[in-house]
Amino acid sequence: MSNSASKSFPVELSIVIPLLNEAESLPELTQWIRRVLQAHGLTYEVILIDDGSTDNSWEVIEELAATDATLRGIRFNRNYGKSAALDTGFRATRGRVVCTMDADLQDSPEELPELYRLITEEQYDLISGWKKKRFDPLSKTIPTKLFNGVTRWISGIQLHDFNCGLKAYNHRVVKSIEVYGEMHRYIPVIAKWAGFRRIGEKVVQHQERKYGVTKFGLERFVYGFLDLLSITFVSRFRRRPMHFFGAMGVLAFFVGAIIALWLTGEKFWLSMHNLRARSVTDQPLFFFALVAVIVGVQLFLVGFLAEMVQLNGHREYLVREKLNVD
């Protein structure tokens, strides 16, 4: 491996680590990263994103950064979630390759050199870790298998572990995508639909949690599945929401209008021939037509408003403090 960063990048590897109340693990994690990457001659930076910790995580980051120039820190004013932390960290990266990992020591830094090689030499856009042997309880592993299966089916990406925090990216990927909500689970999906199709997988070590408690909750899977539906829609119609809502609106409007005109025309025709005719408003089909027209107009307006939001929307998070970050 090269002993110096590429001419166009200050460092070869950027490591983005979101964290919430992980003060105990940070000294050991940063030392472990330094030992591994120095042994492989890689230049690097570690960006620690404090996602509104209530313990002394930020104080620990400040102490570590005072003696280690490779460490950079961003502190949120409150807890925004892992996706927000990753998105903010991605924007701050300066490396040719970007890796993400969790701060709880369950992801091994020993994997980083090989992940770097797969991106730079094998020309992958993204490599996702696969924790083939896990040390999590069944309450987490069973929903995870279900989640991964559904995501594979919908996205067509054949990964075993979409939610693994240990991933590597070509810098172009992280600078081209936006991550929000619970979308960090679907970064491979977002990347694929952004045009980055060289997506691979690597079996990685999974360590037992050494400090603290898991931040996992079953409600995250409910939100995760909702976000999967959201990202499926957004990725296809984000730049053209009117194509989706407008098309459905126009279809509903014309179906309702045609039915209403048919019923009205039938009423007049029967009346002209002195035949018994029911009142248009006495027929249930008329109310179906009326609802279809109203829904069609509403969908069209939703599409129009979505276009306006898409043109003007911009997401920012309130950052309280920064360390070595412009």
Side-chain angles (χ1 to χ4, degrees):
M1 294 188 182
S2 172
N3 291 320
S4 61
S6 170
K7 291 181 181 179
S8 57
F9 297 97
V11 292
E12 292 168 304
L13 180 61
S14 294
I15 306 162
V16 177
I17 305 177
L19 62 105
L20 176 64
N21 298 332
E22 298 288 357
E24 293 177 298
S25 65
L26 291 176
E28 184 174 339
L29 176 61
T30 53
Q31 290 172 14
W32 194 359
I33 292 172
R34 181 168 62 249
R35 183 171 64 252
V36 170
L37 297 184
Q38 286 182 349
H40 286 81
L42 283 170
T43 59
Y44 69 97
E45 63 180 357
V46 177
I47 304 175
L48 299 163
I49 316 294
D50 184 351
D51 186 23
S53 294
T54 55
D55 65 358
N56 65 326
S57 291
W58 184 251
E59 287 73 17
V60 171
I61 292 172
E62 288 180 315
E63 292 175 5
L64 294 170
T67 58
D68 188 345
T70 66
L71 297 186
R72 307 169 69 202
I74 298 174
R75 183 187 188 187
F76 285 165
N77 200 50
R78 67 170 178 84
N79 177 247
Y80 286 103
K82 189 172 183 179
S83 292
L86 289 174
D87 189 65
T88 302
F90 286 163
R91 283 189 253 165
T93 58
R94 302 175 299 176
R96 178 185 179 188
V97 174
V98 177
C99 287
T100 60
M101 62 189 305
D102 294 334
D104 55 12
L105 295 173
Q106 291 190 284
D107 294 332
S108 172
E110 304 290 344
E111 308 285 355
L112 294 173
E114 178 61 14
L115 289 172
Y116 177 84
R117 188 194 69 79
L118 288 169
I119 299 294
T120 56
E121 297 183 16
E122 301 293 333
Q123 300 298 306
Y124 280 98
D125 294 315
L126 186 157
I127 294 291
S128 181
W130 173 20
K131 297 174 181 176
K132 195 171 183 179
K133 181 179 181 182
R134 302 182 67 99
F135 293 94
D136 292 321
L138 289 177
S139 62
K140 186 173 181 179
T141 55
I142 292 177
T144 295
K145 289 181 181 295
L146 176 62
F147 159 81
N148 285 320
V150 171
T151 307
R152 278 195 299 272
W153 174 62
I154 292 178
S155 69
I157 303 173
Q158 299 305 307
L159 296 179
H160 291 86
D161 192 357
F162 284 85
N163 198 35
C164 179
L166 189 56
K167 290 183 173 68
Y169 310 83
N170 183 295
H171 72 282
R172 293 181 296 111
V173 176
V174 302
K175 299 300 184 182
S176 302
I177 64 174
E178 184 180 13
V179 190
Y180 59 94
E182 293 289 323
M183 298 300 185
H184 62 274
R185 306 164 183 275
Y186 305 110
I187 292 180
V189 181
I190 297 171
K192 176 187 175 183
W193 283 330
F196 300 101
R197 298 183 175 275
R198 285 277 293 162
I199 298 174
E201 186 173 56
K202 180 185 183 301
V203 176
V204 297
Q205 294 178 316
H206 185 219
Q207 318 286 116
E208 291 189 69
R209 174 175 277 275
K210 189 172 182 179
Y211 304 107
V213 295
T214 181
K215 313 303 185 298
F216 169 81
L218 288 177
E219 71 280 357
R220 290 169 59 191
F221 281 103
V222 176
Y223 301 148
F225 281 120
L226 293 176
D227 278 333
L228 178 58
L229 297 178
S230 176
I231 195 60
T232 301
F233 168 80
V234 168
S235 63
R236 295 179 181 177
F237 298 102
R238 178 181 182 180
R239 301 299 180 191
R240 44 192 175 91
M242 180 60 86
H243 289 194
F244 179 78
F245 291 108
M248 291 197 304
V250 169
L251 178 62
F253 180 87
F254 276 108
V255 167
I258 289 170
I259 292 173
L261 289 172
W262 172 266
L263 293 175
T264 303
E266 183 185 45
K267 164 76 173 175
F268 279 116
W269 189 87
L270 292 173
S271 298
M272 289 174 60
H273 291 80
N274 297 316
L275 297 174
R276 184 172 178 272
R278 293 173 60 190
S279 172
V280 172
T281 56
D282 286 341
Q283 301 186 56
L285 195 58
F286 170 77
F287 294 98
F288 171 81
L290 185 62
V291 169
V293 169
I294 294 172
V295 169
V297 172
Q298 289 180 329
L299 285 172
F300 186 87
L301 290 175
V302 167
F304 177 76
L305 292 174
E307 289 279 351
M308 296 299 99
V309 171
Q310 192 278 130
L311 289 172
N312 296 286
H314 186 62
R315 187 171 286 102
E316 289 289 348
Y317 305 103
L318 184 58
V319 173
R320 183 172 176 178
E321 297 178 69
K322 293 183 178 181
L323 280 174
N324 304 323
V325 177
D326 297 331

